[in-house]
Amino acid sequence: MGVTGVGVGDASASPTTALLLSILQESTGRIATILFADRLGTSLGPECKMYRLAADIFNDAAMLLDCLSPALPRGPRVLLLSSSSVLRALCGVTAGSSKASLSAHFAKWGNLGELNAVSGQAKAQFYWYPGLTVMQKDSSQETVISLMGMLVPDPFADAGSVLVSYVSSPTTTWMCLILLLSIHLAMNRAAVRAVSMQTLNRQRANLVFSSFLEQDKVLSPKKVSLQESIFEWDGVLRWRSSSPFATARIGLPLRDLLTSLGPAHEKTGSIRDAEARVVRLIRLYSQEDFLVWYDAPQRVGHIVLKEGAAAKCQLKAWALVLWISHRHLLAEGGEGAHATSAIFESMLDLHRSTLRELSSRWPDCVSRLRTGGWDVDIASLETRSSNRVRLQAGGDD
């Protein structure tokens, strides 16, 4: 079906048309690769499980579009084949980047080169015995499966390949295609869910910190992997397994924080009252490497990182905005309000008290996170290009 889409069997097709179609597909695919890598390149590492499964979805969708193309007229067919090229490009970007992150996760002793040996398809499983460590490598899965797919029909070669003869009509072809693609996605989904990442991205940070702050319990990476979703909205705040009640943005420029603290002038663009308010925030967070403000009316948490903010500081900022937003939800019922002076003072008191309580529990939290198997020295919260601010004496940035 795929070769029919590019003109095989069509008497009106010409080599020039096929060449132009190939150039169009390659061009759209390369442009999509550049745009996608620029737009979401930062999030491919922290969200490697999501993008690894997304890569399979992109690839299977491209295959379906290729198979559908012969049934369409020439104009829509070109659009369909170009779309499949874009999907394959997205698959290449997401699969390559997410595989690198997953390989680094499995390389327990820095044996990344050995782990990726033989066509880059090796994986590792570790089995512990008394005094002995055995590493079994399921080397070159895709290569072996591809060879099996080619070798299976060989015993039936004299009979004209019995297996292929059963898949001769379009109906049976589509039935087999849908069945195999469904099995492919189901197996990959199960494989992705089985991975227990040890870094705290946004979703895992929500689960771990909400459990710690409410129950004084640190969930293990295995338990979190059973609770987390593969696909999650970027930046949402959840308390344990609740529905999203707010969002948070980390690594913002200082102007975004100023905008949330006070309205901008319509003509000059100057932000009234915000300068005095941000000075009070700077004083509040003078001992921290971040500035946090929860915009209650918009239900958005703003996290500004200072220059040199380490991974543990980013985790603390995320835990703080999560706890503040949850406390505000319980106290106010989630209702918004206008950014008046009284509201600002009330929210500032909430920030101050929450920061004080979190700071008193933070050393114990970090220690228990390490003991529980979490890597708190790797920053996995930023999913976009972020900013850092430098604060000088006197509160100027």
Side-chain angles (χ1 to χ4, degrees), residues 52 146 214 251 298 358:
R52 186 61 194 88
S146 298
E214 181 174 310
Q298 301 297 325
L358 180 62

Side-chain angles (χ1 to χ4, degrees), residues 210-219 240 361 368:
S210 60
S211 177
F212 173 78
L213 295 172
E214 181 174 310
Q215 299 180 326
D216 195 29
K217 179 181 178 182
V218 174
L219 300 177
R240 303 182 67 185
R361 301 177 61 180
R368 292 171 61 181

Side-chain angles (χ1 to χ4, degrees), residues 8-336:
V8 176
D10 187 357
S12 61
S14 66
T16 303
T17 303
L19 177 61
L20 292 176
L21 179 59
S22 177
I23 293 175
L24 178 62
Q25 287 184 277
E26 286 290 329
S27 300
T28 53
R30 293 178 186 274
I31 293 174
T33 299
I34 296 173
L35 295 178
F36 188 77
D38 178 71
R39 180 66 177 83
L40 294 177
T42 308
S43 63
L44 295 176
E47 303 294 341
C48 59
K49 293 176 64 174
M50 179 182 71
Y51 285 112
R52 186 61 194 88
L53 182 59
D56 297 312
I57 296 176
F58 291 148
N59 184 68
D60 292 355
M63 188 178 301
L64 286 174
L65 293 182
D66 285 342
C67 294
L68 284 171
S69 61
L72 298 179
R74 183 169 299 177
R77 184 189 307 171
V78 172
L79 180 61
L80 205 66
L81 291 176
S82 299
S83 300
S84 71
S85 180
V86 170
L87 290 174
R88 283 197 173 86
L90 300 184
C91 171
V93 174
T94 54
S97 300
S98 58
K99 178 183 179 297
S101 298
L102 292 172
S103 297
H105 165 72
F106 285 111
K108 303 295 184 181
W109 295 283
N111 56 335
L112 191 58
E114 180 185 7
L115 190 64
N116 288 319
V118 191
S119 299
Q121 297 300 328
K123 292 186 179 179
Q125 293 179 339
F126 300 92
Y127 299 90
W128 294 90
Y129 296 91
L132 180 65
T133 301
V134 178
M135 185 174 78
Q136 293 187 341
K137 292 190 300 182
D138 183 16
S139 302
S140 304
Q141 290 185 95
E142 296 182 0
T143 304
V144 172
I145 293 175
S146 298
L147 288 174
M148 290 176 60
M150 291 186 291
L151 292 175
V152 166
D154 283 354
F156 307 97
D158 295 336
S161 184
V162 176
L163 296 180
V164 176
S165 65
Y166 283 111
V167 189
S168 57
S169 66
T171 302
T172 55
T173 300
W174 275 104
M175 291 176 60
C176 291
L177 177 64
I178 298 300
L179 176 62
L180 293 176
L181 291 183
S182 301
I183 295 175
H184 174 241
L185 292 179
M187 295 294 289
N188 277 279
R189 180 182 182 275
V192 168
R193 287 197 61 85
V195 177
S196 301
M197 300 297 294
Q198 297 173 341
T199 55
L200 289 168
N201 64 358
R202 301 182 177 197
Q203 181 182 186
R204 290 189 286 272
N206 289 338
L207 293 170
V208 172
F209 290 138
S210 60
S211 177
F212 173 78
L213 295 172
E214 181 174 310
Q215 299 180 326
D216 195 29
K217 179 181 178 182
V218 174
L219 300 177
S220 65
K222 180 63 177 178
K223 291 182 179 179
V224 171
S225 67
L226 297 176
Q227 298 182 26
E228 67 176 330
S229 303
I230 298 178
F231 294 97
E232 174 69 299
W233 294 106
D234 185 36
V236 298
L237 295 176
R238 298 177 186 264
W239 193 258
R240 303 182 67 185
S241 299
S242 67
S243 301
F245 55 86
T247 59
R249 302 166 60 197
I250 188 171
L252 299 177
L254 189 59
R255 180 169 181 83
D256 289 1
L257 178 61
L258 292 171
T259 304
S260 68
L261 290 173
H265 194 275
E266 296 181 357
K267 295 183 178 180
T268 64
S270 61
I271 303 175
R272 299 171 294 176
D273 301 328
E275 290 82 358
R277 293 177 179 180
V278 78
V279 168
R280 298 181 64 181
L281 278 183
I282 292 173
R283 292 173 182 171
L284 176 61
Y285 297 107
S286 60
Q287 303 300 319
E288 306 294 342
D289 286 335
F290 56 81
L291 303 176
V292 166
W293 178 253
Y294 178 65
D295 188 349
Q298 301 297 325
R299 298 185 184 181
V300 178
H302 301 271
I303 302 175
V304 176
L305 299 175
K306 298 180 183 178
E307 190 177 39
K312 287 182 289 187
C313 297
Q314 299 179 30
L315 291 174
K316 184 178 180 180
W318 191 269
L320 179 62
V321 76
L322 174 65
W323 204 5
I324 291 173
S325 60
H326 178 65
R327 284 184 163 185
H328 179 266
L329 179 69
L330 297 179
E332 302 295 332
E335 297 180 358

